[in-house]
Amino acid sequence: MPSTSIAEEGDIETDEAATNAATGSVRPTDTDVVLSEDHNEEEQIDHIMSKLAALQYPTDPTHIHTFKIKRNDRYVSMCCNVGPCQPDIPYPKTEGRSFQKQWFSANVWLEYSPTANSMHCFSCRLFLSDEKYKSRTAWTTDGIRKWSTALEKIKQHSSAEMHMTSMVRWINFQKKALQSAFDVSDVKGVEVRERERQTNKEILTRLIDLTVYLARQGQAFRGHDESESSDNRGNFRELVNVFSCYDSVLKMHLEKIATVKATKTRPQVSLLSNRSQNDIIAALGTYIRKEIQREIKEAEMYSILLDETSDVSHKEQVSFVVRYFHHMQIKERFIEVCNVDTTTGQELENTVFLLLQKNGLEMKNMYGQGYDGAANMSGMYKGLQARIRAHNEKALYVHCKAHCLNLVLVEASKSSKHFVTFFNLVEKLYAFCSGSPKRHAALVKFQESLFPGQRVMELQQLSDTRWACREKALKALQRNLKAILMLLDDISDSDPPNLAQGDAQMYRNAINFMFILCMEITTPVFEVTALASDSLQEEGLDHSTAYKVIDGVLHTLQTMRSEEKFGEIFRCASEKAESFNIPVPTVVPGQERKRKVPVRFQHSTTVSQVGAQFESVEAYFRSGVYFTFLDIMTGELNRRFKGDNTGSPTARIIQSFQPLTVHANWVGPPNPEAIEAVHILCEFYGEDEDQLKTELKVFHSSFSSKDLREIFLILRENNGQLIFPAFVKMIQIYATLPVTTATVERSFSKLKIIKNKLRSLCGEERLSDLLLLAIEKDVEINYNEVINIYKDMAPRRMLL
């Protein structure tokens, strides 16, 4: 580096003004360094050093002769501190050529003397005092001035033995000088600062743990009054106080804060303020989100899950979840919530693109979309799924399977007016019994009298959106029906009359044989669908497992659709009705009086069907109620899950993955359906069809697997990515495709816990970070990384 020292030239005389004016340097005369004999050697060195320091280029190689300098340690140290003489000046020409500045960049040892217009070797000049090198003065004292061969000379010198030796000595000298500087420095100060930094990290680590605990439990951090005189300063500060009773680090920290406040000295960084709490929450959220983003990038493909809900402050919140396949494991990770003004397809599209960009996710890597069946989500033309597929055709839309099952139950419950009336009455009975504390207490007493020593079972409200959850309400009704009838009879016969007497009599009369029969029909069916609904909402569910769950439901419904099974249900309903003094119908409804069919219509098929006669009441309810209920449910399951009669290209593609996982399809004779499935997938995803067939045959002939999860395990244990690349890609896509939006629904449950009436002013970013901590509990916290993120968020007065 060129020297930056500015010479005080007023006190230096020179007789070479012309040369100095051309080179920009000042060359002192011999008289400047002549010292009296009274000066000892040390004073002479001090005088020379002061003279050199006043020059513009103190390390100019010619100063050795000019000042008659001996190569002592002080001079060498000064030169090493300043560096080689590399001035940035107009270099004078000799024979039409001159020194070039760019030579410095490739040769750090090269230096130029503006006084002598020559180039020298810095390391050789200072560190070659050996006897065998004294005769080689071209690069040390004489210098090189022939610029036409300068590059060749530089190249030859850099590879010479003497130069390499000097460079090694120069580097060793620098290391020793640096080590000496460290030894001279205040070691104790460094140790004190390091101890302080370590203590601060220990304090912050404990506060991070407390923050994680409160966030994962969905608890509030701050209190209404956090002053010193407050009895409750909020969960965060109160927890710090509790832990300080058992932890010396927190105890000393709080004592130090109290001492500083008492002495009114400079403010002490407490890390307990609301800003510090928010920064710790933000640092934790940033760390977890980065870990999720890292896994998604490693997976190289993902699907998005989206749904919206209203929070307690009446804001429309969109929950954003990403599904991906990482290390042969399906993961669904919550990312954040985002507030939207409207929920149109256009607005949701803009929101999705903003979230993808914010989290570093590329649209081309999206392979699936999972939403509910709302028009703004699933619309074929202007829905969100259609807008996303306009940018990426391979981002297939999957209607949430749990929602599909819910719609199946809705359609089946509309199959007969009897079921509509039944569910309406069940809801009214719940409202009647639970709407009054007196009636509720009376119902509890009747239950205790009927089931002494057993736990009281509360009536359950029917869910308008989660029909699969109605199983609990039906089971409670089935167990408590006698107690309910006793309550209604008691209120109806009360004297003096009760205000609810009229309602009680109305509900008592409405509970007839048809009500009991509907209860006995729907309860076992809803028990099956409730199990299926719970299975469809499991974390990490894949399509293969979902199809097996639905196949199990279909098989159960097929088993239940028999005259023998209905005979059992009908006898049970009849026995219960008789025990409750409820009459059992003996005449088929509508057949109390036979109507005479005109002669001209007696041979008509339509009339014969309409006027079909049932041989018994049981046959009427079996065909008109029970079988109709099961048939509609079976048909809806096939239509919504198997894709019957839909002709949807998306359904064909998704269903084509399943034959790839069936072991029997690839062992033995070729299966035409499996071959067709391979063709559909390879055509859509652009894979080699022959390669995939070969890999499937080899895999299934080498390994035996029952389901998709076993395939995951086999591929992970046998490094399947190297052996079966095409098959692994298909499996990865199949696992990445969404099945349900249950993870999104679970985030809404956490949203209601975290953003409640007492915390309705929580900001959007803070809310997302708190939800992330509460939902993604399995992400391991790296304290050092979190502390580094916290440190970089803003300038800190505390050493970290």
Side-chain angles (χ1 to χ4, degrees), residues 4 80 218 224 262 332 342 397 418 432 434 449 493 502 510 537 561 588 662 675 698 746:
T4 56
C80 288
H224 175 69
E332 290 183 356
T342 61
Y397 163 65
H418 302 299
F432 179 79
S434 304
S449 65
D493 299 337
Q537 296 179 54
R561 194 189 186 283
V588 177
V662 179
I675 299 299
V698 174
R746 282 190 282 268

Side-chain angles (χ1 to χ4, degrees), residues 61 88 102 113 142-143 187 271 275 331 358 460 465 502 548 630 710 722 777:
D88 185 6
Q102 57 266 28
S113 172
D142 298 342
V187 178
L271 294 175
R275 179 180 174 183
K331 294 185 178 182
K358 183 178 178 181
Q460 302 291 325
T465 55
K548 289 183 179 180
L630 296 181
E710 287 192 7
L722 298 177
K777 297 180 180 180

